[in-house]
Amino acid sequence: MELLSGADMIARFLQDEGVEYIYGYPGGAALHIYDALFRQEEVKHILVRHEQAATHAADGYARASGQPGTVLVTSGPGATNAVTGIATAYMDSIPMVVLCGQVASHLIGDDAFQETDIVGVTRPIVKHSFAIRHPSEIPEVLKKAYYLASTGRPGPVVVDIPKDMTAPTERYEYAYPRKVRMRSYNPVTRGHTGQIKKAVELMLKARRPVFYTGGGVVLGNAGDGLTNLVQKLGYPITTTLMGMGAYPQSDSQCLGWLGMHGSYESNMAMHHADVVIAIGARFDDRVTNNVSKFCPTAKIIHVDVDPSSISKTVHADVPIVGPASSVINEMISLTQSKEIANPDALADWWEQIESWRAERAGKLYEPSREGEILKPQEVIEAVCEKTRGEAFVTTDVGQHQMFAAQYYQFDKPRRFVTSGGLGTMGFGFPAAMGIKLNYPEDDVVCITGEGSFQMMMQELSTCKQYGIGVKIINLNNASLGMVRQWQDLNYKSRHAHSYVESMPDFHLLTQAYGFTAITVNTLDELGPALERVFEDKHELVFLDVKVDPFEHVYPMQVPLGSMRDMLLSKTERT
């Protein structure tokens, strides 16, 4: 049996667990761990410039790969700087393990230098947390952390590690745990067959059915099964922001995504449906709008791996607790030899949906004329065309996020990476870094705005050090666009602190870090600029696109209304 210090156990465990990259920033309480990582070569440490970036990079990797991301930070401010990224992962159910250095155990509770009760601070925003009490328990605790993070409903797990638990002078037996035993944690592996049969019976009798699918389908790798089921039944499908790509958006049965800025036809179809088949979605307020007016004539089938999500917001008529993949596969099996009961009603339903589609065709936005400033929608469409819809696209949060979701067409899961639940500005750039490191031959594009980018722009230094060739598309409207839009609509255009004054010259800023920057002002400049941006997959290029500062995101649900209550333009509403 091998004898290792606590710090060397951590390094060896990460190797045995198959972790390739760990994102972090050193500090006193974590230095024994950093020394152990320095003395091995299998696990590569990526030195970010701010701990929040470490969590977002690990998060981006986890969303793109399905594997838990790994973070290492020191105690006190190192740990608290990671809190926003932990909350971001928690809200979107993203698997992540955050290793936090802590002051020596005999100092805990004494307000020691750089001491923070990070277990207490993060308790509401983690799936679980551990505090190491003896070095010998490190392998088992870490195995539990990765198991918890990635099974059931995924989420972040914090491991608090006092400095004396990693001292190089104390050595203990190390063995990599092959199995995990947790008496109090037994995630479900399949749904209740009786409930699934009830759901299928209701689905087959539906006259105006809609599939409503969310991030749980993506996280559960259930996209192929979902596509099979939806196409067999011939029903319409709409997705949440987090569920985009699990069903190909280019398919005619896909109505786009739904909710506050979702498509007109998806929101209308949901409102008028008689059966809603919700899979891996949690009825978020950005989808439902006013819950009391949500889908008033619909029976709800709700499939979710997390029992606490079922009937939490909207009552489920047929609740099914189980992983999306196994439930969908059982639904496919049960519908194999059966036909839908009301094919004529379904045909009428599709006719109604197509009429809603036709109502909005060609009315989504007014394109720019020759020599005019660009519309942000035009930029996203051009990026989608240039990358053939195959890039990993990360976003920050705001108007640019909504435009990216509306105008980039995602036909594959895990390609659209955005902060949905927490809405974290600063997320997009470091998330793109985490993806590009692990998928170096793919195009990785960060769609951002000048407000969001300045929250994490120091990570240009990280990209320089490690040669991370992400493409940054800045939709520059010189304002906090979504804040300004709400102020236009609700505060008589009193733009209180939503215009970003004294902005940097992004050209010079990018060049200061040794990268190429391009500025675009008009549509005729955009095509050649994108050719240059995507010329070399391994080169970071910053594209600063000046876009119409007065453009709004539409459709937009009317607050406190039903799903069908939408603003369609500055002068038009349903």
Side-chain angles (χ1 to χ4, degrees):
M1 189 72 75
E2 194 172 10
L3 296 178
L4 296 176
S5 70
D8 285 322
M9 284 185 186
I10 292 170
R12 180 65 61 81
F13 177 89
L14 294 174
Q15 292 175 14
D16 293 342
E17 189 69 13
V19 174
E20 185 176 2
Y21 289 104
I22 184 169
Y23 309 88
Y25 201 93
L31 284 185
H32 294 328
I33 305 171
Y34 270 89
D35 188 62
L37 289 172
F38 185 82
R39 289 183 279 103
Q40 57 84 53
E41 296 182 350
E42 287 184 40
V43 181
K44 304 173 190 71
H45 180 274
I46 303 299
L47 176 64
V48 296
R49 278 27 177 191
H50 190 287
E51 291 88 351
Q52 184 177 334
T55 53
H56 292 332
D59 183 319
Y61 159 72
R63 292 180 197 238
S65 69
Q67 302 301 312
T70 306
V71 176
L72 174 58
V73 295
T74 193
S75 63
T80 57
N81 278 349
V83 165
T84 296
I86 294 170
T88 301
Y90 178 76
M91 289 290 283
D92 290 341
S93 304
I94 304 304
M96 181 191 297
V97 174
V98 183
L99 308 178
C100 294
Q102 181 56 280
V103 300
S105 52
H106 69 278
L107 294 174
I108 291 175
D110 287 351
D111 295 330
F113 176 67
Q114 292 194 331
E115 180 192 355
T116 298
D117 175 12
I118 197 61
V119 170
V121 167
T122 60
R123 187 167 279 120
I125 53 168
V126 295
K127 184 174 180 182
H128 195 67
S129 52
F130 295 94
I132 301 296
R133 298 302 181 210
H134 194 275
S136 62
E137 69 183 28
I138 286 174
E140 184 182 358
V141 167
L142 291 185
K143 188 65 179 176
K144 287 178 179 178
Y146 279 89
Y147 174 66
L148 281 165
S150 56
T151 56
R153 179 178 182 172
V157 176
V158 163
V159 183
D160 194 40
I161 311 169
K163 189 170 184 179
D164 52 323
M165 299 296 107
T166 58
T169 53
E170 295 185 32
R171 296 171 182 269
Y172 299 88
E173 292 182 353
Y174 171 82
Y176 175 71
R178 297 289 170 186
K179 294 182 179 178
V180 177
R181 287 188 182 87
M182 298 187 72
R183 187 174 56 186
S184 59
Y185 178 70
N186 295 294
V188 292
T189 56
R190 59 187 304 260
H192 188 281
T193 298
Q195 290 296 95
I196 297 172
K197 284 180 178 176
K198 281 184 190 175
V200 168
E201 286 174 14
L202 184 58
M203 287 159 56
L204 293 174
K205 291 176 184 175
R207 303 178 69 84
R208 299 184 308 280
V210 176
F211 276 91
Y212 153 50
T213 58
V217 176
V218 175
L219 294 168
N221 299 312
D224 288 345
L226 175 69
T227 303
N228 184 340
L229 178 62
V230 172
Q231 292 183 347
K232 180 192 183 305
L233 293 172
Y235 290 176
I237 177 171
T238 179
T239 75
T240 67
L241 198 68
M242 305 308 301
M244 286 170 60
Y247 187 92
Q249 286 189 295
S250 61
D251 187 82
S252 61
Q253 285 176 240
C254 185
L255 310 185
W257 53 281
L258 79 169
M260 177 168 281
H261 294 292
S263 74
Y264 174 75
E265 56 267 32
S266 66
N267 284 345
M268 293 297 282
M270 282 288 288
H271 180 81
H272 291 281
D274 71 338
V275 174
V276 170
I277 306 118
I279 305 177
R282 59 187 177 87
F283 296 87
D284 176 74
D285 63 286
R286 294 282 147 145
V287 166
T288 62
N289 205 356
N290 187 334
V291 173
S292 67
K293 300 177 181 179
F294 177 74
C295 298
T297 59
K299 295 284 187 182
I300 306 290
I301 297 164
H302 191 185
V303 179
D304 204 290
V305 74
D306 179 7
S308 71
S309 288
I310 300 214
S311 293
K312 180 179 181 180
T313 306
V314 172
H315 172 72
D317 297 285
V318 184
I320 303 170
V321 179
S325 57
S326 70
V327 173
I328 288 170
N329 287 339
E330 201 163 339
M331 285 179 169
I332 291 170
S333 176
L334 289 169
T335 57
Q336 213 67 267
S337 57
K338 296 179 181 177
E339 299 295 328
I340 60 172
N342 298 294
D344 292 341
L346 181 63
D348 292 342
W349 180 225
W350 269 114
E351 188 177 332
Q352 173 63 74
I353 289 170
E354 293 302 339
S355 73
W356 286 325
R357 270 182 172 156
E359 279 181 52
R360 299 302 300 157
K363 296 181 181 178
L364 298 179
Y365 71 94
E366 191 71 38
S368 64
R369 298 190 182 94
E370 187 176 346
E372 285 185 345
I373 193 166
L374 279 155
K375 293 296 175 69
Q377 300 95 322
E378 293 173 312
V379 182
I380 303 300
E381 288 181 328
V383 172
C384 183
E385 183 179 351
K386 180 61 186 170
T387 58
R388 302 173 303 283
E390 295 176 354
F392 286 100
V393 176
T394 72
T395 78
D396 281 293
V397 170
Q399 285 182 323
H400 64 269
Q401 176 191 30
M402 298 296 100
F403 288 133
Q406 288 177 338
Y407 293 96
Y408 196 103
Q409 196 167 75
F410 296 94
D411 283 347
K412 297 177 183 176
R414 302 190 181 278
R415 293 281 164 161
F416 183 58
V417 174
T418 194
S419 170
L422 196 65
T424 306
M425 292 174 69
F427 171 82
F429 182 25
M433 288 162 38
I435 296 169
K436 185 65 178 178
L437 277 165
N438 290 274
Y439 297 91
E441 299 307 316
D442 284 277
D443 287 320
V444 181
V445 182
C446 171
I447 307 292
T448 188
E450 67 285 349
S452 289
F453 182 70
Q454 289 185 85
M455 292 194 172
M456 284 284 126
M457 64 187 180
Q458 76 283 341
E459 298 309 314
L460 286 167
S461 177
T462 306
C463 291
K464 184 67 176 176
Q465 180 174 345
Y466 298 101
I468 306 173
V470 301
K471 313 301 183 183
I472 303 164
I473 313 291
N474 183 36
L475 300 186
N476 189 341
N477 60 7
S479 68
L480 305 178
M482 191 60 84
V483 174
R484 181 182 46 73
Q485 177 169 334
W486 278 78
Q487 289 170 335
D488 285 339
L489 295 171
N490 299 312
Y491 300 92
K492 298 181 180 178
S493 295
R494 293 189 296 272
H495 297 137
H497 302 285
S498 56
Y499 277 96
V500 183
E501 299 179 18
S502 66
M503 279 204 302
D505 182 324
F506 288 110
H507 229 88
L508 293 177
L509 176 72
T510 307
Q511 289 172 349
Y513 284 98
F515 296 119
T516 298
I518 305 167
T519 299
V520 167
N521 293 289
T522 58
L523 186 59
D524 62 317
E525 297 172 353
L526 183 60
L530 288 175
E531 286 291 331
R532 175 66 188 88
V533 168
F534 293 100
E535 194 172 68
D536 182 351
K537 285 187 186 294
H538 306 289
E539 179 190 16
L540 186 149
V541 183
F542 187 101
L543 185 65
D544 189 30
V545 188
K546 302 298 169 60
V547 298
D548 186 348
F550 303 109
E551 190 70 6
H552 285 184
V553 181
Y554 293 109
M556 180 179 182
Q557 285 181 339
V558 177
L560 302 180
S562 68
M563 292 197 74
R564 70 175 175 181
D565 297 322
M566 289 171 276
L567 301 173
L568 302 176
S569 70
K570 291 179 182 178
T571 58
E572 184 185 5
R573 63 174 288 171
T574 54

